[in-house]
Structure formats: structure tokens, C-alpha cells
Amino acid sequence: MSDKIYVFDTTLRDGEQVPGCQLNINEKIMIAQQLDKLGVDIIEAGFPVSSPGDFKAVEAISRAVENATVCGLTRAVKNDIQVAADALKHARRPRIHTGIGASDTHIKYKFNSTREDILQRAVDAVKYARTFVEDVEFYAEDAGRADIEFLARLTEAVISAGATVVNLPDTTGYLLPNQTFDRISYLMNNVPNVDKAVLSMHNHNDLGLATANTIAGVTAGARQVEVTINGIGERAGNTSLEEVAMILKIHKHLGLHTDIRSEMLAPLSQLVSKTMRMPVQANKAIVGRNAFAHSSGIHQDGFLKHAETYEIMTPQEVGVDKSDIILTARSGRHALKHRLELLGYEIEKEDLNDIYDRFLELADEIKEVNDGNLVKLMKELQNI
Ligand code: KIV
Ligand code: ZN
């Protein structure tokens, strides 16, 4: 089995569904081009039947993207599929992503239907999509809560109908990582034609487990991950691209890799955050403002002695200039001395205690001490 993990970015579809995050067509094209440079394999550009604006965006992205496959979402409905095929007609590598609810909750309450009917509709949709494009992905919505034997039958049926990828979304972010692992393993072992398609992980973050579930899925045999920049998406969001890319890069023993150029991650995170008006939380893994900031004395001391004591990746690897030492009342003498030396002060050992006491008083008062505050403090001390 190949060790390449295909990265399917859905920032412009699942991510853009977030209220207040809507983008205009030029912003979408710009982000799609950056995603292409980042090295994602598939860009889900939108849901063409949903609005004339989304249709035009998918059409424009199809023309603009040079390397990645461009994908359009549909329901398992003929008109959706026809409209998506039309929007994708200029794509160098088009993919139609069609599907239907697979859990009994979806089958009963969304479709007022039966498993047999859903299976037939799924097969018909895949066959119809294949009349337009060779690359058809099928999504079994709410696969996370679907009956596993039915899911296996559905997976086998859509692969026989021509699906190249089968997406098994945990739409409600319900599963635990060990459950995800077991479910994907079950499909890998019980779907006779599973080797004819790629299984895909599409996890939502309602319990904060989207990334963990995605990694569990690929260790069980899935070979595509559906992700968004900064993990944006419906409700608590989708799996974050930067987390999965860095986990696979750092944990080389998993033997899996992506083609993501990791040094583009932080700049692209900022671009998406600004254009979508969606701030990145300060402690967000990989791309948050504090991801490479050290503020307690113990950590600062260790970091200054040897960065690997408190960092498992370099900031440059993800496109951040450098790590930060934040000076607060929790900082120690080592960090203070280091910063003063960077500012050009040579501190004698016997002066450090005095400077440090005054620094602590100031830090208690103003919380974070910056370079300007330090220069002022040193001037005051030198005048005494
Ligand atoms: O979460 C989900 O199930 C989806 C599908 C439409 C792929 O976004
Ligand atoms: Zn989703």
C-alpha cells in the first residue's frame, strides 16, 4: 500500500460555510492558487448548484489551478451532478464529489427512506457522475454513526459503480480515535474491492478529536485526508491541515507522507484568517501566535540552553521567523539577561539580581515587558 497521503483541502467549501467567512470570487481564486502552491492534491472549490456565485467560483478556480485536482460537491441528485460537471469543465483534473446520508438517523429523518433505497441512489449518482468525469468521490454522510455492515455494503457498491474515492465523514464529530481506527480497519478487511479505491477521512471537531481521528484513520489504511486551513468549518470546525501535515512530518515512524510545503503553513494561515475575518486562537497548534512563544522561567531557561528541550519542530519549518521569549513576571533571570544582551547591554553577574527585582516589579504592574520598557528601565538604573 502506498505511503502517500492525499491532501484534500475543503477550506473553500466546508470552511467557507462558516457564517461571516464568505469570500468573493477573487479571494477564492487567490486562496486556491496558494493551496496549489502549498502542495495540496485536491481542492474542493465549492458546491456549484448551491448558488450562481458558487458555480462561477468553481468555474474560475478550475481555470486558475495548475496542479491540483479541482472538486465540486453535489448531493446524489442528477441536476446537482450535471451542474457540477459543467462548472468543472475547464479543470485540468476534475473530480465530482457526490453522496448521501448513510446513518439510520439520516436515512430516517432526512430522507424518510430505507437503507436499500439509499444504496440504490448512491450507486445511481456515482454511475451518473462517471458519465462526466473519471474521478468520482462518494461521501457516505454521517458514516461515523452508520451501521458498519451497511457502510461496508455501501462502500463496496459505490466502488463497483465507479467511485475512485470513498469518503467516510464523521459529520457530527462523534467518534473516538480507537473507534475510527476499528471502523476503517473493518472496511479495509471486509470490503472485497476496497483496493480499487482510496478511503478518505473527513472529520469534524465537535469533541476536539478531528485531528486525532484523522490520524487514526490513516494508520488503519485510509489514504486521503479532508482538511481546512486553521481547521475552520461547520460548528467546531474540520480537521486542520497544518496539524495533520506536521504530525505526519514529525512522526516519521508512521511511514506516511504528504506533499505539503510546510514552510508555507503560517503565511497561508494568516492569509485565510484575514480574508475570512476569522481570528486564529493564540494557542492553536502550529499556527497560533503562541505556538513558538515561551513565557515561563523554567521553559525559557531550557529553551535558551537548547531549543529542542521545549520545541518539537523549528518555527522556520512552518514559516514562522523565530521563536519568542515573552517577558512576564513568570520569566527568569536567564531570559532577562538574554534579552538585555540582545539589546546591547552587558550585565555583570552582581547587577543582575538588582535589575531582575526591578524587572519583576514592572512585570507585575504591566504584565508583559517589551524592549522599550527594558531600555527605559536600564536608563533609570544607570542614572541612579
Ligand atoms: O461533513 C460532511 O459530512 C460533509 C460532506 C458533505 C462531505 O461535509
Ligand atoms: Zn463536513
Side-chain angles (χ1 to χ4, degrees):
M1 178 181 269
S2 157
D3 56 4
K4 152 108 183 187
I5 299 296
Y6 292 87
V7 177
F8 175 114
D9 182 276
T10 183
T11 306
L12 297 172
R13 200 280 296 171
D14 228 346
E16 215 245 355
Q17 285 174 208
V18 175
C21 281
Q22 276 63 42
L23 300 171
N24 65 38
I25 191 160
N26 292 329
E27 291 168 331
K28 287 186 186 178
I29 295 170
M30 174 185 63
I31 290 178
Q33 286 172 325
Q34 291 304 311
L35 290 167
D36 201 20
K37 287 194 184 129
L38 178 72
V40 309
D41 300 283
I42 304 104
I43 296 172
E44 188 162 50
F47 182 9
V49 84
S50 65
S51 76
D54 230 34
F55 180 92
K56 285 196 191 116
V58 175
E59 202 176 36
I61 290 169
S62 296
R63 289 180 196 271
V65 165
E66 286 176 9
N67 304 305
T69 294
V70 179
C71 175
L73 184 80
T74 81
R75 294 165 296 183
V77 170
K78 270 192 162 180
N79 184 51
D80 283 28
I81 295 170
Q82 208 177 346
V83 171
D86 204 18
L88 291 165
K89 65 176 179 285
H90 298 291
R92 290 171 183 81
R93 294 178 194 79
R95 175 183 293 181
I96 293 177
H97 188 191
T98 190
I100 197 160
S103 67
D104 288 336
T105 312
H106 277 229
I107 293 171
K108 182 169 173 204
Y109 296 108
K110 256 178 82 171
F111 299 105
N112 188 22
S113 183
T114 60
R115 289 182 184 174
E116 295 317 307
D117 174 58
I118 291 295
L119 196 131
Q120 191 57 50
R121 281 157 77 168
V123 165
D124 291 347
V126 171
K127 284 191 176 156
Y128 189 58
R130 278 299 300 254
T131 65
F132 297 101
V133 292
E134 284 182 5
D135 190 4
V136 173
E137 174 169 341
F138 174 80
Y139 64 85
E141 197 178 7
D142 202 18
R145 293 187 298 171
D147 176 81
I148 193 67
E149 284 171 22
F150 175 64
L151 198 58
R153 275 182 61 215
L154 182 61
T155 302
E156 182 181 353
V158 293
I159 294 174
S160 296
T164 47
V165 179
V166 181
N167 176 15
L168 302 150
D170 184 16
T171 306
T172 55
Y174 165 76
L175 292 174
L176 296 170
N178 67 314
Q179 294 172 318
T180 302
F181 182 89
D182 290 349
R183 291 171 75 82
I184 298 300
S185 301
Y186 183 91
L187 297 178
M188 293 297 293
N189 294 325
N190 291 281
V191 173
N193 55 1
V194 74
D195 59 320
K196 304 279 182 309
V198 166
L199 299 188
S200 184
M201 300 312 305
H202 176 117
N203 293 313
H204 280 266
N205 204 29
D206 300 65
L207 293 173
L209 290 171
T211 298
N213 282 329
T214 297
I215 298 297
V218 296
T219 55
R223 283 294 174 266
Q224 179 177 283
V225 293
E226 308 204 357
V227 290
T228 61
I229 299 287
N230 299 333
I232 60 168
E234 288 272 353
R235 306 182 310 279
N238 287 58
T239 308
S240 125
L241 184 153
E242 53 280 3
E243 292 173 13
V244 173
M246 289 314 289
I247 289 168
L248 296 182
K249 188 168 181 194
I250 287 171
H251 287 280
K252 295 209 170 23
H253 65 276
L254 293 175
L256 302 169
H257 72 93
T258 70
D259 289 341
I260 294 299
R261 291 177 53 202
S262 64
E263 67 285 358
M264 281 185 67
L265 290 172
L268 195 44
S269 156
Q270 284 304 310
L271 178 78
V272 167
S273 165
K274 282 201 186 93
T275 44
M276 287 192 160
R277 296 162 293 278
M278 183 89 171
V280 179
Q281 75 192 56
N283 61 332
K284 167 81 181 60
I286 322 290
V287 293
R289 197 177 63 239
N290 292 347
F292 295 93
H294 305 277
S295 60
S296 85
I298 296 172
H299 289 210
Q300 290 172 338
D301 180 56
F303 171 77
L304 288 170
K305 286 174 175 153
H306 186 71
E308 272 181 37
T309 52
Y310 287 96
E311 286 185 351
I312 55 167
M313 63 194 117
T314 67
Q316 293 80 16
E317 262 180 287
V318 301
V320 172
D321 288 346
K322 58 176 181 54
S323 306
D324 268 339
I325 296 277
I326 312 289
L327 292 180
T328 69
R330 303 284 91 71
S331 300
R333 288 172 182 74
H334 191 167
L336 176 64
K337 184 166 182 283
H338 172 79
R339 181 67 67 81
L340 288 170
E341 282 169 357
L342 288 180
L343 291 171
Y345 296 100
E346 279 194 22
I347 310 295
E348 297 301 328
K349 211 174 167 192
E350 53 276 16
D351 295 335
L352 186 59
N353 281 345
D354 187 27
I355 300 173
Y356 183 64
D357 286 346
R358 285 167 181 267
F359 158 79
L360 281 186
E361 269 174 43
L362 181 67
D364 269 337
E365 196 181 313
I366 66 173
K367 296 196 165 69
E368 196 176 317
V369 178
N370 62 29
D371 289 353
N373 303 136
L374 283 182
V375 171
K376 203 163 156 235
L377 184 84
M378 290 306 287
K379 278 192 181 141
E380 282 165 16
L381 276 166
Q382 280 159 354
N383 287 337
I384 290 171

